[in-house]
């Protein structure tokens, strides 16, 4: 039997909206082993570090061109008081991280350490302030401490702590999940709080803050509408008022709630396909939020930000349930590839996304141990293979007649999803085959330019449960994919459960 073919047409001369590089953003919370034991080992550690930050973690992440890093939470942000995390480390107070494992937090990783981490990574800081248990003054002073030059009470304090120059902080979150751990507020009450807090989040000097209001969970459209009403009005035609510039939402992928979530590495075919259905459904959720935003802000001034996304499984055996530590398989990588295809298609309104979380928590890029072991996860490889999409012009990928589909509990899952972009004379195409048992031959017809060379890479394994460990770090790692170029067509074999990228040079 011959392999079925997946045909698509890509017009390389018809560039669409630019894929904001911030769609490849990250998230690091004081949660489990993300900060402590992940990024931060302390200056006295035997593991190589720069000022306490683990060197091999930074090196691995630099290869992803991480555009921004969100910190310090999540739920933690709404109980974090930034003044506890500055000054000599031995004098910093200990607090209890009540959200995550009820463990003591010694505040050794604070504002200066976070800014140093961003500098090492080459990433823009995205600081999330405390609305739930903090004050307007506290948040306003944090912005002043970070971003003001000249002389002021906060500037003097920063200089006394060893930092002369102001930092640049482009992104600021006004609380987190205000409908839940951030204060259990109702949408209108939070919308007013967001306006009040935002009023005192000043632009100091030439630092311009992009303020992001804490948004909905999944498809809670009432929340988005309350926030849009707080900055604009239906049909009044004026530009939204600039209290905040972005609105977030969170979307996690799993195949059931609570204890019904599958195990990170031990799952069956049904659980695999239900995961893909849930991951694909973020398209409907983004469209729904966009529709609300379009009706209040047709010019698209307010940005949509998905500042927490990723898979959420049962925790690894023997770990603190509050640490959310999980392995990461080829299934996770395919979820990431699918999300990026969808994110690219919403490039017009979706300006940022942050995977939860970068190291040792939920769908991480990197797993570490205290002996110096470091594992790059399959998800890491998708971020690396896809990095050429950052700030490239999106290109539509048309599958004539629609993609072949897989029936999952009565819902159709597209077998092959793809997206493409162009930067200069280079086109990058990403494609995932989500079927567990059917390979396909892709035949992508590139029109509007002539192909001079094509290089392919593929990420797959003999089963979707495959994952990397310290003992076997490259069980899932990209290898070369053979791509044939014939009359502007790119032809390649995509085996079951695989993700591939093809980089194409166009003749200029
Ligand atoms: O990423 C883990 C947690 O999930 C975050 O702290 C919270 O915002 C969300 O519920």
């Amino acid at each position: 039997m011959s392999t079925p073919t997946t045909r698509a047409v890509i017009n390389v001369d018809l560039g669409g909206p630019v894929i904001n590089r911030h769609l490849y953003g990250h998230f690091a919370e004081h949660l489990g082993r993300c900060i402590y034991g992940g990024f931060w080992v302390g200056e006295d550690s035997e593991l190589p570090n720069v000022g306490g930050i683990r060197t091999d973690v930074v090196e691995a992440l630099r290869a992803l061109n991480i555009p921004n890093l969100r910190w310090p939470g999540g739920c933690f942000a709404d109980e974090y008081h930034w003044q506890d995390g500055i000054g000599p480390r031995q004098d910093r107070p200990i607090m209890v991280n009540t959200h995550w494992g009820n463990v003591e937090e010694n505040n050794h990783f604070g504002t200066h350490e976070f800014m140093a981490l961003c500098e090492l990574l080459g990433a823009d800081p995205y600081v999330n302030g405390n609305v739930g248990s903090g004050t307007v003054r506290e948040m306003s002073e944090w912005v002043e401490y970070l971003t003001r030059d000249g002389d002021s009470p906060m500037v003097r304090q920063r200089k006394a702590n060893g930092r002369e120059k102001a930092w640049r902080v482009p992104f600021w979150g006004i609380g987190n999940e205000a409908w839940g751990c951030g204060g259990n507020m109702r949408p209108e009450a939070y919308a007013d709080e967001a306006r009040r807090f935002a009023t005192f989040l000043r632009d100091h000097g030439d630092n311009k803050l992009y303020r992001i209001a804490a948004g909905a969970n999944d498809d809670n459209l009432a929340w988005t509408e309350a926030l849009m009403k707080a900055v604009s009005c239906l049909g009044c035609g004026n530009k939204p008022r600039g209290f905040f510039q972005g609105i977030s939402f969170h979307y996690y992928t799993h195949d059931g709630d609570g204890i019904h979530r599958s195990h990170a590495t031990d799952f069956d075919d049904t659980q695999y396909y239900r995961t893909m259905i849930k991951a694909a459904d973020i398209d409907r959720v983004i469209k729904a939020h966009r529709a609300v935003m379009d009706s209040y802000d047709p010019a698209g001034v307010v940005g949509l930000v998905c500042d927490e996304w990723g898979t959420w499984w049962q925790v690894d055996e023997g770990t603190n349930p509050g640490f959310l530590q999980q392995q990461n398989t080829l299934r996770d990588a395919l979820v990431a590839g699918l999300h990026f295809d969808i994110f690219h298609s919403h490039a017009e309104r979706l300006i940022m996304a942050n995977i939860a979380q970068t190291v040792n928590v939920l769908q991480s890029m990197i797993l570490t141990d205290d002996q110096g072991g470091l594992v790059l996860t399959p998800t890491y490889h998708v971020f690396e293979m896809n990095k050429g999409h950052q700030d490239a012009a999106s290109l539509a990928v048309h599958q004539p007649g629609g993609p072949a589909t897989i029936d999952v509990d009565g819902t159709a899952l597209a077998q092959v999803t793809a997206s493409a972009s162009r930067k200069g004379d280079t086109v990058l195409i990403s494609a995932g085959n989500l079927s567990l048992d059917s390979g396909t031959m892709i035949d992508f017809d590139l029109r509007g330019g002539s192909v001079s060379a094509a290089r392919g890479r593929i990420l797959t394994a003999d089963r979707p449960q495959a994952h990397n460990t310290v003992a076997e770090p490259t069980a899932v790692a990209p290898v070369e994919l053979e791509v044939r170029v014939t009359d502007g067509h790119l032809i390649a074999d995509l085996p079951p459960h695989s993700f591939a990228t093809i980089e194409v040079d166009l003749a200029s």
Side-chain angles (χ1 to χ4, degrees), residues 329-351:
T329 66
L330 182 58
R331 173 174 68 163
D332 297 83
L334 296 175
V335 168
L338 177 54
H339 268 51
F340 283 128
D341 288 339
I342 294 166
F343 289 167
H344 298 164
S345 73
H346 291 287
E348 220 167 335
R349 180 72 82 166
L350 190 69
I351 61 102

Side-chain angles (χ1 to χ4, degrees), residues 208-410:
K208 299 275 173 280
L209 286 181
Y210 190 93
R211 302 165 192 80
I212 298 168
N217 192 35
D218 290 0
D219 58 0
N220 182 350
L221 303 182
W223 193 276
T224 302
E225 183 157 17
L227 289 177
M228 289 307 299
K229 276 185 187 163
V231 287
S232 50
C233 61
L234 197 56
C236 61
N238 292 328
K239 271 195 160 170
R241 299 182 68 189
F243 303 123
F244 42 83
Q245 290 68 42
I247 292 179
S248 75
F249 76 103
H250 291 174
Y251 189 88
Y252 283 100
T253 293
H254 42 76
D255 55 352
D257 288 325
I259 55 163
H260 304 297
R261 282 160 205 229
S262 67
H263 190 271
T265 58
D266 185 11
F267 52 87
D268 60 24
D269 290 4
T270 305
Q271 291 168 321
Y272 167 90
Y273 279 123
R274 286 185 181 159
T275 299
M276 293 306 150
I277 287 288
K278 174 77 177 166
D281 198 40
I282 195 173
D283 186 43
R284 176 190 62 81
V285 170
I286 296 174
K287 280 187 183 131
H289 287 299
R290 284 186 70 175
V292 173
M293 295 175 82
D294 287 350
S295 55
Y296 285 88
D297 168 31
V301 175
V302 180
L304 182 62
V305 173
C306 179
D307 54 14
E308 286 184 29
W309 68 271
T311 55
W312 194 318
W313 312 123
Q314 293 173 26
V315 299
D316 287 348
E317 286 84 2
T319 61
N320 184 327
F323 281 13
L324 309 184
Q325 183 161 328
Q326 66 189 38
Q327 246 296 358
N328 191 296
T329 66
L330 182 58
R331 173 174 68 163
D332 297 83
L334 296 175
V335 168
L338 177 54
H339 268 51
F340 283 128
D341 288 339
I342 294 166
F343 289 167
H344 298 164
S345 73
H346 291 287
E348 220 167 335
R349 180 72 82 166
L350 190 69
I351 61 102
M352 185 193 282
N354 302 72
I355 186 140
Q357 301 190 2
T358 317
V359 189
N360 292 333
V361 170
L362 297 175
Q363 189 174 355
S364 50
M365 306 297 110
I366 288 178
L367 301 171
T368 65
D369 65 31
D370 297 340
Q371 289 71 50
L374 180 145
V375 169
L376 305 181
T377 65
T379 300
Y380 173 97
H381 293 301
V382 172
F383 274 71
E384 192 278 320
M385 293 164 77
N386 256 10
K387 69 183 176 189
H389 289 302
Q390 295 187 23
D391 284 341
S394 55
L395 297 172
V397 179
H398 303 284
Q399 292 192 47
T405 57
I406 302 161
D407 178 77
V408 184
D409 306 327

Side-chain angles (χ1 to χ4, degrees), residues 186-199 226-227 230 244:
R186 288 169 298 158
E188 290 74 20
Y190 170 73
D192 282 344
E193 286 292 280
R195 285 168 58 131
R196 191 166 72 95
F197 273 77
T199 306
L227 289 177
F244 42 83

Side-chain angles (χ1 to χ4, degrees), residues 27 29 31 74-76 100 176-177 181 250 252 308 312 324 356-357 362:
F27 174 34
E29 180 165 15
L31 192 177
C75 295
F76 180 79
W100 304 119
N176 172 73
E177 296 192 352
C181 65
H250 291 174
Y252 283 100
E308 286 184 29
W312 194 318
L324 309 184
Q357 301 190 2
L362 297 175

Side-chain angles (χ1 to χ4, degrees), residues 53 58 62 69 112-125 163 165-168:
I53 297 167
V58 168
R62 280 186 69 85
L69 184 62
H112 290 250
E113 290 78 12
F114 172 67
M115 297 306 290
L117 172 60
C118 288
E119 281 174 1
L120 289 171
L121 293 173
D124 283 341
R163 172 76 187 195
K165 268 178 51 171
W167 286 287
R168 196 183 143 265

Side-chain angles (χ1 to χ4, degrees), residues 1-297:
M1 208 175 78
S2 64
T3 314
T5 304
T6 301
R7 292 179 208 289
V9 175
I10 302 173
N11 295 96
V12 299
D13 55 340
L14 299 179
V18 169
I19 296 168
N20 198 313
R21 71 179 184 284
H22 291 291
L23 292 181
Y24 285 80
H26 282 258
F27 174 34
E29 180 165 15
H30 289 237
L31 192 177
R33 298 181 56 256
C34 183
I35 298 292
Y36 300 105
F39 282 113
W40 178 257
V41 288
E43 284 170 314
D44 300 333
S45 172
E46 285 174 4
L47 299 180
N49 67 84
V50 184
I53 297 167
R54 201 170 148 164
T55 312
D56 55 357
V57 170
V58 168
E59 276 169 8
L61 293 174
R62 280 186 69 85
L64 301 184
N65 294 352
I66 289 185
N68 73 77
L69 184 62
R70 178 176 182 249
W71 171 84
C75 295
F76 180 79
D78 278 297
E79 59 179 354
Y80 181 64
H81 299 283
W82 69 272
Q83 288 270 4
D84 294 346
I86 55 172
R89 288 195 198 106
Q90 69 278 8
D91 298 339
R92 298 184 192 173
I94 289 176
M95 67 177 284
V96 179
N97 190 336
T98 54
H99 269 294
W100 304 119
N102 222 22
V103 292
E104 286 182 0
E105 153 75 54
N106 64 15
N107 275 306
H108 281 193
F109 188 92
T111 297
H112 290 250
E113 290 78 12
F114 172 67
M115 297 306 290
L117 172 60
C118 288
E119 281 174 1
L120 289 171
L121 293 173
D124 283 341
Y126 172 9
V127 176
N128 202 12
N130 179 345
V131 170
S133 69
T135 64
V136 171
R137 176 176 179 177
E138 185 182 359
M139 201 188 293
S140 168
E141 289 184 343
W142 200 5
V143 175
E144 181 184 324
Y145 184 93
L146 281 158
T147 63
R148 193 171 174 88
D149 261 323
D151 191 21
S152 81
M154 291 302 113
V155 173
R156 260 172 265 149
Q157 203 179 355
R158 185 188 72 228
K159 289 182 178 174
N161 287 330
R163 172 76 187 195
E164 193 60 27
K165 268 178 51 171
W167 286 287
R168 196 183 143 265
V169 179
F171 301 109
W172 198 276
I174 312 168
N176 172 73
E177 296 192 352
W179 40 265
C181 65
N184 285 309
M185 294 179 226
R186 288 169 298 158
E188 290 74 20
Y190 170 73
D192 282 344
E193 286 292 280
R195 285 168 58 131
R196 191 166 72 95
F197 273 77
T199 306
F200 302 95
L201 299 175
R202 309 288 189 199
D203 288 339
H204 294 284
D206 56 10
N207 189 76
K208 299 275 173 280
L209 286 181
Y210 190 93
R211 302 165 192 80
I212 298 168
N217 192 35
D218 290 0
D219 58 0
N220 182 350
L221 303 182
W223 193 276
T224 302
E225 183 157 17
L227 289 177
M228 289 307 299
K229 276 185 187 163
V231 287
S232 50
C233 61
L234 197 56
C236 61
N238 292 328
K239 271 195 160 170
R241 299 182 68 189
F243 303 123
F244 42 83
Q245 290 68 42
I247 292 179
S248 75
F249 76 103
H250 291 174
Y251 189 88
Y252 283 100
T253 293
H254 42 76
D255 55 352
D257 288 325
I259 55 163
H260 304 297
R261 282 160 205 229
S262 67
H263 190 271
T265 58
D266 185 11
F267 52 87
D268 60 24
D269 290 4
T270 305
Q271 291 168 321
Y272 167 90
Y273 279 123
R274 286 185 181 159
T275 299
M276 293 306 150
I277 287 288
K278 174 77 177 166
D281 198 40
I282 195 173
D283 186 43
R284 176 190 62 81
V285 170
I286 296 174
K287 280 187 183 131
H289 287 299
R290 284 186 70 175
V292 173
M293 295 175 82
D294 287 350
S295 55
Y296 285 88
D297 168 31

